[in-house]
Amino acid sequence: MLTLRQLRHFIAVAEAGSISGAAQATFVAQSSLTLAVQQLEEELEASLFERHAKGMTLTHQGHQFLRQANLILATVDNAKFSVKQGMARLSGNLTLGVTSLVSGYFLVDMLTRFRACYPDVTVSIIEDERRYIEHLLVNGEIDIGVLILSNLEDRHALQTEVLVHSPYRLWLPPLHPLLEQEAIALGDVAPYPLVQLNADEMDRHARQIWAGAGLHPCVAMRTASTEAVRSMVAAGLGVSIQPDMAYRPWSLEGSMIEARQLSDLNEHLNIGLAWRRGNSRPELVTPFLALAREKTPARKVSI
C-alpha cells in the first residue's frame, strides 16, 4: 500500500533532483528517502527515476506519477482544511510574490478562481526578480510565491511544489531550412542567428543548455520581451529556444511561428509555488495552494 509519507519523500526527491539534495531540504535521512522511492517503484512496477552521476531525473512515468502524487496530497490538504474551517467565510490579506515571465501565463487564472471562491480576501501582488521574491518569502514578508523554481537558492527555508514541467522547443519562422530535417539537434541550431529572452533568468537557463552541449550560439539579440522574440522569429530574423508555456503560433503582426522538438534537449522549466517552510504558515496559503493545484493552464504546441 502506498503511504502519504512515501509520496512526500518521492516529491522531495523529484524536486531536488537527488537523494542528498532532498535530505538537506526536508531534514529526512537519505536512507528513508531511498527506501521510499524503491518501495514506490516496486509497488508501481515502474521506474520513476533515471539515475546518473549528477543525481536523478524523472522518467516519463515519473512525471506522470508526480502530478498524481501532488493531487493526492492536495486532496488530503483540502479535506483537512474543510474540516477545520467548516462553512466559515474566509477573510484577511494574502500577499503573493511573482516573477515577470510567470505572471503573464499563470497568475490571472489563479487569481480569478481564488477571488471567486474567497471574495472577502484581499490579495496583494509583488512582482520582482526571483532573488528578491525568494528573499521576501524566507523573511516571511510575503505569503506565497508563483515563480520558476529551477533557480531557487535557499531550498532549506522554502517548501515548493511544481505545477508545470514546461519542455523547451525551438521556435522558427515558416520555410526555415531546419524544418526540412526529420530531427533537429542543438548543433544544427548553433550556426543560425539566435534571439535570446533574458527575462526571469531565462538567459541563465540558455547558457546552461549551450554550455552543457559544448556549443557557442550566434546570439543576434537579447531582449526582456517575449513579444519581441516572437516578432523577430516570425520575421525570419532569428530562431529561439523557449519553454512551451510561452509558445503562441503567431506574432503580434500576425505572422506564423513554428515550434519543433530538439532531439538532444530534454530539459524542462519547472514552474510552481514556493512558501516558507514550517508548521506556522499563514492561514490563507492553504486555500490558495488547493485552488492552484486543481487546475493549471495547459499550453500545447502544434508540431
Side-chain angles (χ1 to χ4, degrees), residues 44 73 80 102 104 117 217 223 225 230 235 239 246 286-287 295:
L44 298 172
L73 294 184
K80 291 179 180 179
V102 172
C117 292
T223 175
S225 169
R230 293 193 184 102
V239 298
T286 299
K295 178 185 175 184

Side-chain angles (χ1 to χ4, degrees), residues 72-95:
I72 291 170
L73 294 184
T75 301
V76 174
D77 284 346
N78 290 349
K80 291 179 180 179
F81 183 76
S82 297
V83 171
K84 291 179 179 178
Q85 296 297 326
M87 299 302 294
R89 192 177 177 94
L90 285 180
S91 62
N93 298 294
L94 179 70
T95 304

Side-chain angles (χ1 to χ4, degrees), residues 38-48 61:
Q38 290 175 345
Q39 290 174 337
L40 281 176
E41 290 182 323
E42 291 173 1
E43 179 72 21
L44 298 172
E45 298 182 351
S47 178
L48 300 176
Q61 295 92 336

Side-chain angles (χ1 to χ4, degrees), residues 259-272:
R260 292 292 186 272
Q261 184 176 0
L262 290 163
S263 60
D264 54 351
L265 180 58
N266 299 315
E267 293 190 29
H268 294 73
L269 195 66
N270 295 328
I271 302 98

Side-chain angles (χ1 to χ4, degrees), residues 132-187:
Y132 185 60
I133 296 299
E134 186 173 348
H135 166 75
L136 295 178
L137 284 168
V138 172
N139 287 351
E141 298 177 55
I142 57 178
D143 300 316
I144 191 166
V146 185
L147 66 168
I148 294 172
L149 301 177
S150 304
N151 289 340
L152 285 182
E153 296 175 349
D154 199 345
R155 296 182 180 273
H156 296 286
L158 296 176
Q159 190 167 344
T160 62
E161 182 170 322
V162 177
L163 297 177
V164 173
H165 297 275
S166 186
Y168 286 96
R169 298 186 195 269
L170 176 66
W171 295 4
L172 314 97
L175 305 180
H176 193 280
L178 288 176
L179 292 172
E180 298 178 4
Q181 297 185 193
E182 185 174 342
I184 306 172
L186 284 167

Side-chain angles (χ1 to χ4, degrees), residues 4-303:
L4 295 180
R5 178 174 295 178
Q6 288 174 336
L7 296 182
R8 292 191 178 97
H9 288 355
F10 162 72
I11 291 171
V13 175
E15 292 182 353
S18 69
I19 294 292
S20 59
Q24 292 176 358
T26 60
F27 304 102
V28 175
Q30 293 189 31
S31 58
S32 298
L33 294 169
T34 300
L35 179 61
V37 171
Q38 290 175 345
Q39 290 174 337
L40 281 176
E41 290 182 323
E42 291 173 1
E43 179 72 21
L44 298 172
E45 298 182 351
S47 178
L48 300 176
F49 291 97
E50 292 181 358
R51 280 78 169 173
H52 48 81
K54 295 182 179 180
M56 303 166 68
T57 56
L58 288 168
T59 62
H60 176 67
Q61 295 92 336
H63 279 294
Q64 292 180 315
F65 187 69
L66 177 62
R67 180 65 174 166
Q68 296 304 318
N70 279 322
L71 288 174
I72 291 170
L73 294 184
T75 301
V76 174
D77 284 346
N78 290 349
K80 291 179 180 179
F81 183 76
S82 297
V83 171
K84 291 179 179 178
Q85 296 297 326
M87 299 302 294
R89 192 177 177 94
L90 285 180
S91 62
N93 298 294
L94 179 70
T95 304
L96 301 180
V98 65
T99 50
S100 59
L101 187 62
V102 172
S103 64
Y105 300 102
F106 296 94
L107 188 61
V108 172
D109 176 78
M110 290 181 183
L111 285 181
T112 300
R113 291 186 289 112
F114 186 80
R115 285 175 170 167
C117 292
Y118 305 103
D120 293 337
V121 174
T122 300
V123 180
S124 301
I125 303 166
I126 297 175
E127 181 183 301
D128 215 302
E129 295 181 357
R130 189 269 311 162
R131 288 180 184 273
Y132 185 60
I133 296 299
E134 186 173 348
H135 166 75
L136 295 178
L137 284 168
V138 172
N139 287 351
E141 298 177 55
I142 57 178
D143 300 316
I144 191 166
V146 185
L147 66 168
I148 294 172
L149 301 177
S150 304
N151 289 340
L152 285 182
E153 296 175 349
D154 199 345
R155 296 182 180 273
H156 296 286
L158 296 176
Q159 190 167 344
T160 62
E161 182 170 322
V162 177
L163 297 177
V164 173
H165 297 275
S166 186
Y168 286 96
R169 298 186 195 269
L170 176 66
W171 295 4
L172 314 97
L175 305 180
H176 193 280
L178 288 176
L179 292 172
E180 298 178 4
Q181 297 185 193
E182 185 174 342
I184 306 172
L186 284 167
D188 300 322
V189 179
Y192 290 95
L194 184 76
V195 182
Q196 178 58 54
L197 180 67
N198 59 11
D200 218 342
E201 300 181 293
M202 292 301 294
D203 54 336
R204 176 177 173 180
H205 289 270
R207 288 195 299 271
Q208 293 171 347
I209 288 171
W210 289 108
L215 297 169
H216 300 281
C218 178
V219 179
M221 179 183 181
R222 289 183 171 86
T223 175
S225 169
T226 309
E227 295 301 340
V229 174
R230 293 193 184 102
S231 295
M232 290 282 288
V233 171
L237 300 175
V239 298
S240 190
I241 298 174
Q242 302 298 335
D244 278 0
M245 72 170 190
Y247 179 70
R248 190 180 66 218
W250 63 86
S251 67
L252 286 176
E253 298 80 12
S255 301
M256 297 302 297
I257 301 170
E258 300 283 349
R260 292 292 186 272
Q261 184 176 0
L262 290 163
S263 60
D264 54 351
L265 180 58
N266 299 315
E267 293 190 29
H268 294 73
L269 195 66
N270 295 328
I271 302 98
L273 308 170
W275 61 97
R276 191 178 184 184
R277 190 179 295 278
N279 297 323
S280 59
R281 69 189 185 197
E283 179 186 34
L284 293 173
V285 167
T286 299
F288 186 85
L289 283 171
L291 280 176
R293 290 161 173 158
E294 285 176 5
K295 178 185 175 184
T296 301
R299 291 185 168 267
K300 296 183 179 179
V301 177
S302 300
I303 302 299

